[in-house]
Amino acid sequence: MNKIVLLCLGAALLSPQAVAQLSQISVKGNHFVTADGKAIVFRGLDASDPEKLERNGQWNKHYVEMAKSWGANVLRFPVHPAAWRMRGQDNYLKLLDQGVSWAGEAGLYVIIDWHSMGNLCAELYPPGYSELYPPALYNTTKKETLEFWSTVAKRYAGNSTVAFFELFNEPALGGKLGDCTWAKWKETMEEVIATIRSNGGTAVPLVAGFNYAYDLTQVANAPINAEGIGYVSHPYPMKRKQPWEPQWTKDWGFVADKYPVFATEVGFCAAEDKKSHIPVIGDESYGEALTSYCDQRGISYSVWCFDPHWGPTLIEDWSFTPTRQGKYFKKALSTPLP
């Protein structure tokens, strides 16, 4: 074998596409399916931002393997726009390449999540009152969002480990953040999906609803005009009072009758927990209701957050000691689906 062939093989082994070994995920009816058409339900964990993990000295293969050992079949990587800019595109992509490679080796699928929170509907407002966000960590623009997805789509085209692109973490509207109609949000998300697919993207796009990715009621009359997508809800415990189940069905669960639904952020912590905040205060009764609801309806979910610092936390420390909610969800993830 000559030197040129060896060099080409070496480049292939280092490319993000080369690590893809898992079955390609797509959509059929209201299910996510593998390449042979079998329905698959995802139950997994939400990492903290890879850039944050790297700064903590915890962005490594062991972190991913620990997620797998908890029973997860998917790991969500939240990319904060500020971290993307601070690290720089090329350096941040190296972090993602590492994570995707480790996940593929562990048999875990990956969600890449553009972890912004705010109002992306720029055209609806005069200058100075558009593209509004809470903390600067989440601040982005429509232009940056489209550029991000164009870059990521090209990078992971054909890589079956990267199963999902979560297009925008949590649309946050109202008050100082202004408003946005569903029609405008729908149009914006359709543009993002078209950008991904025109750049070769093969991951399943996931579209969040309003009210910080909780409310999908608008999907009933005006679904996203794109095939092969899923919908996202973040049904934290304080979004509704008990009994949760009938309200969940009304607000977002009904969507699972026609389309695949992925609750990409769930979780709870006690009020006295130092990391407690609205809307995550709850206990095991929420966990039991949520996991049972999702399991019975074939709804996928992933739990926030596999990190000792970002609440509600799943681990107490970097020895991966489970917190109260960690103990609950570690058991739930390891329990076979009904």
Side-chain angles (χ1 to χ4, degrees), residues 22-338:
L22 300 174
S23 182
Q24 183 71 49
I25 300 301
S26 61
V27 169
K28 183 177 181 180
N30 63 342
H31 299 290
F32 299 120
V33 296
T34 55
D36 58 1
K38 292 181 180 178
I40 179 171
V41 175
F42 292 92
R43 300 193 300 187
L45 299 172
D46 295 328
S48 49
D49 194 302
E51 193 278 332
K52 185 264 189 194
L53 287 168
E54 199 274 338
R55 281 189 286 110
N56 291 169
Q58 300 298 326
W59 187 237
N60 51 49
K61 189 174 181 179
H62 178 65
Y63 178 87
V64 174
E65 289 173 339
M66 288 303 298
K68 177 68 173 180
S69 75
W70 275 41
N73 63 358
V74 66
L75 188 57
R76 178 177 181 250
F77 297 152
V79 180
H80 289 76
W84 175 257
R85 291 189 297 270
M86 179 178 67
R87 177 71 60 161
Q89 174 181 304
D90 291 344
N91 287 328
Y92 202 109
L93 286 171
K94 291 176 183 176
L95 295 179
L96 287 179
D97 287 351
Q98 290 174 324
V100 169
S101 178
W102 296 326
E105 291 173 17
L108 282 170
Y109 286 96
V110 165
I111 303 169
I112 295 178
D113 157 45
W114 185 232
H115 204 77
S116 184
M117 179 192 301
N119 192 343
L120 198 60
C121 298
E123 294 84 354
L124 296 180
Y125 311 102
Y129 293 91
S130 61
E131 297 178 322
L132 297 172
Y133 298 85
L137 184 66
Y138 303 108
N139 183 47
T140 189
T141 63
K142 182 178 176 182
K143 179 177 182 292
E144 182 181 49
T145 299
L146 291 171
E147 289 174 349
F148 172 81
W149 284 121
S150 174
T151 298
V152 170
K154 291 176 185 175
R155 187 79 167 191
Y156 299 107
N159 188 322
S160 58
T161 299
V162 182
F164 302 102
F165 290 157
E166 191 168 349
L167 307 187
F168 191 91
N169 172 50
E170 290 185 349
L173 313 172
K176 293 180 180 180
L177 296 177
D179 205 357
C180 178
T181 65
W182 176 257
K184 188 61 188 177
W185 183 247
K186 177 176 177 293
E187 178 185 314
T188 303
M189 292 298 97
E190 288 167 357
E191 184 177 354
V192 175
I193 293 167
T195 297
I196 287 169
R197 290 180 170 165
S198 68
N199 284 282
T202 48
V204 175
L206 298 177
V207 178
F210 283 167
N211 187 9
Y212 294 86
Y214 172 75
D215 181 2
L216 289 171
T217 54
Q218 298 282 355
V219 175
N221 296 317
I224 300 296
N225 185 22
E227 297 295 323
I229 71 166
Y231 289 92
V232 164
S233 182
H234 292 176
Y236 283 114
M238 298 175 74
K239 286 294 186 178
R240 286 288 185 263
K241 293 181 179 180
Q242 297 186 53
W244 290 291
E245 293 87 345
Q247 297 175 93
W248 286 341
T249 297
K250 178 182 176 182
D251 294 341
W252 58 273
F254 75 93
V255 176
D257 293 338
K258 292 185 67 175
Y259 309 99
V261 173
F262 205 137
T264 56
E265 282 189 28
V266 301
F268 68 87
C269 65
E272 60 270 19
D273 190 301
K274 62 182 179 181
K275 298 179 180 65
S276 69
H277 59 276
I278 296 172
V280 306
I281 298 171
D283 58 24
E284 289 81 358
S285 64
Y286 158 81
E288 291 167 1
L290 188 282
T291 54
S292 176
Y293 186 87
C294 290
D295 290 349
Q296 290 173 15
R297 291 163 177 78
I299 293 171
S300 298
Y301 66 84
S302 56
V303 191
W304 187 275
C305 179
F306 203 49
D307 186 292
H309 305 132
W310 290 5
T313 61
L314 284 160
I315 53 177
E316 297 276 7
D317 49 44
W318 290 120
S319 295
F320 297 92
T321 307
T323 60
R324 179 176 172 179
Q325 80 143 345
K327 292 175 182 176
Y328 175 81
F329 281 109
K330 185 176 183 181
K331 181 178 179 181
L333 291 172
S334 300
T335 303
L337 284 163

